[in-house]
Amino acid sequence: AANYYLVGVPAQAGRLHWVPWDHSQALAVMRDWTTQEGPPHYDPAYVRHDQIGASWPLVRKLLDDPVSRTIYFQELKFALGGAYALELVTKRVEALHALIAPHVDGPLGEVAPYSALLWAGKRMPLPGPEELLAHVPQMHALVHQVVD
């Protein structure tokens, strides 16, 4: 499955733009690559995408190209001081959690069978932002380790 679209822009002589989607793993806590189990670990190989193989040919091709790889690392470094700056991410996570919480839990909350919070027939409460907020500085430090 591809988690991106390639879009040709006629006004730019058909230049292709890579439009990613499905960012559900972008801030995921990293665990064993094959089972997604075990304690979190922070390995620079995840930032470099060393584990990406032939099953993701476009990503592999881009990361193997020295120019594209350099741009990727420059953009990561830029994000650390911009959209992914610790203070901004913390405020945004807290604000978004406060925004959605009443619509997930409580009288306005999700109901079966239209809920991602059902597990083995049991309703799970909406997790707080604490795990993500503890994870973000770890990822920030890991990306710095790779790009600095």
Side-chain angles (χ1 to χ4, degrees):
N3 291 342
Y4 58 87
Y5 294 102
L6 286 177
V7 179
V9 179
Q12 296 179 344
R15 181 178 179 186
L16 291 177
H17 291 262
W18 186 12
V19 181
W21 63 276
D22 192 12
H23 294 281
S24 62
Q25 296 299 310
L27 289 174
V29 174
M30 293 175 292
R31 302 185 192 287
D32 179 87
W33 183 254
T34 55
T35 65
Q36 293 301 312
E37 294 177 359
H41 62 281
Y42 297 91
D43 185 342
Y46 283 95
V47 176
R48 294 188 307 263
H49 296 292
D50 294 344
Q51 75 282 7
I52 300 297
S55 62
W56 291 11
L58 179 59
V59 174
R60 183 72 274 144
K61 183 176 178 72
L62 288 170
L63 290 174
D64 288 344
D65 175 70
V67 173
S68 296
R69 190 173 181 87
T70 298
I71 291 169
Y72 168 69
F73 288 126
Q74 288 170 343
E75 291 297 323
L76 282 177
K77 190 168 188 171
F78 179 74
L80 291 175
Y84 200 61
L86 289 175
E87 306 79 31
L88 292 176
V89 172
T90 299
K91 286 179 184 175
R92 188 76 174 143
V93 166
E94 290 170 343
L96 289 174
H97 186 272
L99 177 70
I100 67 165
H103 303 285
V104 177
D105 285 329
L108 300 175
E110 297 179 359
V111 295
Y114 309 105
S115 176
L117 296 175
L118 294 175
W119 187 256
K122 221 176 150 181
R123 176 98 169 50
M124 307 301 288
L126 176 68
E130 296 79 19
E131 182 178 2
L132 180 57
L133 290 175
H135 171 66
V136 168
Q138 298 292 328
M139 284 303 297
H140 210 273
L142 179 63
V143 173
H144 267 299
Q145 180 183 343
V146 172
V147 300
D148 288 343

